[in-house]
Amino acid sequence: MGVDSGISVSYPLGTTPACERDAKALEFIEEMTKYCDNVQRNVLSEILAQNAGTEYLQQWKLDGATDRETFKEKVPVVKYEDLLPYIQRIANGDRSPILSSHPISEFLTSSGTSAGERKLMPTIAAEMDRRQKLYSLLMPVMNLYVPGLDKGKGLYFLFIKAETKTPSGLVARPVLTSYYKSDQFKTRPFDPYNVYTSPNETILCVDAFQSMYSQMLCGLIYREQVLRCGAVFASGLVRAIKFLQLNWEQLAQDIETGYLSPKITDQTVRDCVSKILKPGQELARFIRKECCEGNWEGIITRIWPNTKYLDVIVTGAMAQYIPILDYYSGNLPKTCTMYASSECYFGLNLTPMVNPSEVCYTIMPNMGYFEFIPHDRSGNDSVTELLDLADLEVGKEYELVITTYSGLCRYRVGDILQVKSFHNSAPQFKFIRRKNVLLSIDADKTDETELQTAVENASELLKEFNTKVVEYTSYGDTKTIPGHYVIYWELLVEDPVNGPSDDVLDQCCLAMEESLNSVYRQSRVADNSIGPLEIRVVKSGTFEELMDYAITRGASINQYKVPRCVSFTPIMELLDSRVVSVHFSPAPPHWTSERSF
Ligand code: AMP
């Protein structure tokens, strides 16, 4: 990178690196954050030199320039839709250097959607090493705060998802599926600080039930050795505990007999789990005793008593799962270790044991070139001057814009971040939110337009009953497991004698689900991580009461707009007290891993 070596690291009070390898990793973090601006300059110049011959960059006539000033002057800030024609050509087999001079190795399918389908992010082989580099920094930081993690195992619920192919044969799959299937993950060298209870085969099983079952079983077998429990996002760990609630009897039986349930049909999973599973009367008795009374408070620490922390992301939309995780774990610390996306891995949390509300991520300047649009809370989406990592101010909010080695140039990710402090010269960011996301239970991100379209499509079913949806709002209910979308509808029924039946309103729930994006439908159908959508019909006049309430709290009548998503308790109580009927989707919506390109 062209920065000085011989960095001196001052460790947080009372901490020392766990081993020589950790010391090197911490030194690297120190180097990157001390010379943040230099590193960024070099990264941009490297990217521009690497991709100088691409069709995308050629059109902006950089004429070989690799400096920031020319880049900022000539290359526009873009959104996914601007890149779609290029991405479509790559998907259809054009192998010329369109966005990247390196061959596109695969598409990573983002949970962000465009026109109802996952966005396709082109990536190159070398990016896998960059991601691996960021992963390699996580445990050295963790080991500073939690000693002894080499004395046991991590119980991590990790999953792959179905993948598909573009017409030209490029694989398209989520970034974690790509990572877990990579040699970097599968043949990783033994590392005493990173020993998982789940054998690779259980993680690499595409059947969600069999994968979860076998990972839970191994977690139970190794229960006394487990020092940390986790999943990528909080919703995944909550789902795992729900799975235990539903399947403990069968799991205990397998442990008692030493014979794996015939529900596990994947032979590679059977083979590897059978090597671990031995008849264990005492363990089976213990599991039955802990689970049979249906008391799930503190279940994590009861079953895995040596757990020191939960390793799950509880920032952003995942904050809604903090209370249930506290309930399951007796308030164990929840560490949010990293901040990443399909487009680019961004950075890590340098103080992982802080409270979720204080979590900050430090973007590693070697991962890509990062720019920031000062964020205007009024909703003004126009782009003014873009700032560099080193120019940001504490307290201000920014929208993240990235330029990657894979060929995204000045791409708006959609995340809003706030600078909380600096580590050396690198800002530390609080994740504020993803722009335009109204509802999110798991990886799904539903925006206002998608919700509006879903309501419009569903209300088509009401036409023959002379009924209209006059107002609506929504709420992501995570008190149920899995969580589900609740939509409040106020109806105008012109002919009450011939109004819509319960059955028609149930079908409206399904019609809404059918209209939602493919990430929502996949979560509903393949992952079971979202429950059936619910419509709560409220009494006529309820939304006027809602407005009156907002006005008593200071809203202006002229500017009042019905909120399309609610979470404020008094408003929810008002809505719930006016509910006249409740309807659930009677069937899962349509979803297939195939997509049109
Ligand atoms: P995806 O495109 O599916 O890979 O999702 C990436 C997005 O997930 C990011 O752009 C963020 O909006 C969100 N995300 C990733 N990591 C975190 C985190 N640590 N905290 C909050 N949100 C996150």
Side-chain angles (χ1 to χ4, degrees):
M1 283 284 149
V3 279
D4 295 337
S5 52
I7 292 282
S8 74
V9 185
S10 51
Y11 300 108
L13 204 61
T15 67
T16 45
C19 56
E20 188 52 32
R21 192 205 49 190
D22 281 14
K24 283 222 163 65
L26 297 167
E27 221 173 273
F28 178 78
I29 294 172
E30 216 54 13
E31 181 182 325
M32 289 298 112
T33 52
K34 271 195 176 142
Y35 301 102
C36 179
D37 199 43
N38 270 346
V39 177
Q40 282 284 275
R41 188 186 316 271
N42 291 340
V43 164
L44 178 65
S45 137
E46 228 172 68
I47 292 174
L48 294 181
Q50 179 187 299
N51 289 331
T54 58
E55 182 183 325
Y56 190 76
L57 279 182
Q58 290 266 321
Q59 72 181 307
W60 306 119
K61 309 230 174 314
L62 293 172
D63 295 331
T66 61
D67 62 288
R68 277 184 195 173
E69 295 66 29
T70 315
F71 176 71
K72 284 176 189 272
E73 183 194 325
K74 299 203 167 174
V75 180
V77 176
V78 292
K79 291 187 172 169
Y80 183 76
E81 286 65 29
D82 301 310
L83 299 180
L84 198 53
Y86 304 93
I87 288 174
Q88 241 143 17
R89 277 172 51 210
I90 299 169
N92 288 328
D94 189 335
R95 292 285 171 271
S96 62
I98 297 175
L99 294 174
S100 165
S101 63
H102 287 209
I104 299 299
S105 53
E106 59 183 308
F107 279 113
L108 302 176
T109 55
S110 164
S111 58
T113 56
S114 165
E117 288 290 350
R118 286 171 177 270
K119 289 176 184 166
L120 293 172
M121 295 300 165
T123 190
I124 56 175
E127 274 302 280
M128 191 64 88
D129 295 330
R130 225 177 304 279
R131 286 179 212 123
Q132 182 63 35
K133 177 80 191 172
L134 189 64
Y135 281 125
S136 76
L137 305 177
L138 305 182
M139 283 315 286
V141 173
M142 202 57 178
N143 289 336
L144 285 177
Y145 296 93
V146 186
L149 291 173
D150 55 336
K151 307 288 184 297
K153 298 182 195 294
L155 165 55
Y156 282 86
F157 295 95
L158 306 176
F159 301 94
I160 60 163
K161 292 197 176 181
E163 53 189 45
T164 177
K165 284 212 165 128
T166 68
S168 65
L170 275 178
V171 173
R173 55 192 177 183
V175 63
L176 288 173
T177 299
S178 167
Y179 178 64
Y180 299 144
K181 286 186 159 184
S182 71
D183 286 340
Q184 279 93 333
F185 180 78
K186 283 195 295 191
T187 57
R188 60 197 182 277
F190 176 78
D191 170 1
Y193 292 94
N194 253 327
V195 181
Y196 296 155
T197 55
S198 299
N200 286 354
E201 291 83 348
T202 61
I203 296 170
L204 294 171
C205 171
V206 77
D207 181 282
F209 175 87
Q210 296 187 48
S211 178
M212 177 74 95
Y213 190 94
S214 51
Q215 294 193 53
M216 183 61 81
L217 189 60
C218 296
L220 293 172
I221 294 168
Y222 292 123
R223 76 176 194 93
E224 282 172 2
Q225 296 173 48
V226 169
L227 301 182
R228 50 200 171 116
C229 288
V232 178
F233 288 111
S235 54
L237 187 55
V238 171
R239 201 161 80 236
I241 299 304
K242 177 73 180 183
F243 187 90
L244 177 66
Q245 294 172 9
L246 295 174
N247 294 282
W248 60 268
E249 281 168 301
Q250 181 70 52
L251 289 157
Q253 187 183 321
D254 289 10
I255 290 172
E256 182 170 49
T257 59
Y259 183 76
L260 185 59
S261 160
K263 285 186 191 163
I264 307 306
T265 54
D266 183 316
Q267 199 53 47
T268 53
V269 174
R270 288 199 74 84
D271 290 347
C272 81
V273 175
S274 299
K275 285 190 199 129
I276 300 168
L277 179 63
K278 303 278 176 297
Q281 297 274 338
E282 200 182 319
L283 178 57
R285 236 192 333 270
F286 172 81
I287 292 164
R288 289 189 179 117
K289 178 170 80 55
E290 293 301 329
C291 298
C292 72
E293 281 172 11
N295 170 20
W296 305 107
E297 187 168 2
I299 188 70
I300 294 181
T301 31
R302 281 189 279 134
I303 301 234
W304 295 284
N306 300 316
T307 312
K308 300 183 182 198
Y309 64 94
L310 305 181
D311 191 347
V312 279
I313 290 174
V314 285
T315 41
M318 290 295 144
Q320 59 192 332
Y321 294 103
I322 294 173
I324 185 79
L325 285 178
D326 284 346
Y327 176 78
Y328 286 152
S329 73
N331 300 311
L332 276 180
K334 294 159 289 298
T335 65
C336 301
T337 52
M338 76 190 261
Y339 170 43
S341 76
S342 314
E343 294 91 330
C344 180
Y345 278 24
F346 305 125
L348 75 169
N349 178 356
L350 296 178
T351 51
M353 298 308 276
V354 298
N355 277 331
S357 60
E358 288 161 34
V359 168
C360 284
Y361 300 102
T362 305
I363 291 184
M364 282 291 111
N366 60 309
M367 300 302 292
Y369 175 60
F370 303 100
E371 292 174 277
F372 298 84
I373 305 175
H375 180 56
D376 179 347
R377 282 197 168 197
S378 70
N380 177 0
D381 201 36
S382 64
V383 177
T384 49
E385 189 201 5
L386 267 66
L387 303 172
D388 283 313
L389 258 179
D391 302 331
L392 308 185
E393 286 177 52
V394 170
K396 297 223 166 126
E397 290 186 3
Y398 301 94
E399 182 188 334
L400 178 63
V401 174
I402 57 171
T403 297
T404 67
Y405 286 87
S406 304
L408 297 179
C409 282
R410 313 195 90 192
Y411 175 83
R412 294 173 81 164
V413 176
D415 288 350
I416 306 296
L417 309 173
Q418 185 186 41
V419 178
K420 283 287 177 190
S421 55
F422 280 80
H423 180 80
N424 295 323
S425 56
Q428 301 194 292
F429 296 97
K430 177 174 181 165
F431 181 92
I432 300 294
R433 63 189 172 86
R434 173 99 171 187
K435 271 172 82 178
N436 302 329
V437 175
L438 204 62
L439 287 165
S440 173
I441 295 288
D442 189 31
D444 54 304
K445 299 169 175 60
T446 296
D447 69 25
E448 202 165 323
T449 318
E450 289 171 315
L451 184 65
Q452 167 79 23
T453 308
V455 170
E456 279 168 14
N457 290 347
S459 48
E460 284 293 310
L461 302 181
L462 301 176
K463 273 195 178 151
E464 61 176 296
F465 304 98
N466 282 326
T467 299
K468 290 191 185 74
V469 179
V470 284
E471 274 307 351
Y472 68 91
T473 189
S474 68
Y475 160 62
D477 185 354
T478 51
K479 286 194 287 300
T480 58
I481 304 174
H484 70 292
Y485 288 12
V486 174
I487 320 295
Y488 292 92
W489 271 11
E490 184 171 321
L491 298 178
L492 177 65
V493 189
E494 280 172 9
D495 175 8
V497 181
N498 298 310
S501 64
D502 282 350
D503 187 42
V504 169
L505 287 160
D506 291 350
Q507 289 302 325
C508 287
C509 297
L510 182 55
M512 283 199 69
E513 294 199 299
E514 294 288 9
S515 309
L516 293 172
N517 67 48
S518 79
V519 178
Y520 174 90
R521 287 178 286 111
Q522 180 173 14
S523 303
R524 268 285 277 134
V525 177
D527 306 341
N528 268 318
S529 55
I530 302 182
L533 183 143
E534 177 182 357
I535 290 177
R536 295 184 190 162
V537 178
V538 293
K539 262 201 332 227
S540 151
T542 302
F543 278 80
E544 222 167 288
E545 286 187 67
L546 211 66
M547 179 173 79
D548 292 343
Y549 180 81
I551 288 163
T552 60
R553 288 179 54 90
S556 126
I557 300 191
N558 296 328
Q559 288 172 328
Y560 178 79
K561 290 186 206 72
V562 175
R564 290 305 178 206
C565 182
V566 291
S567 58
F568 186 51
T569 309
I571 295 214
M572 317 274 314
E573 283 171 359
L574 192 156
L575 285 164
D576 281 328
S577 69
R578 305 293 188 270
V579 170
V580 289
S581 65
V582 169
H583 310 271
F584 285 94
S585 193
H590 170 263
W591 176 79
T592 135
S593 61
E594 295 308 315
R595 58 178 285 165
S596 48
F597 286 94

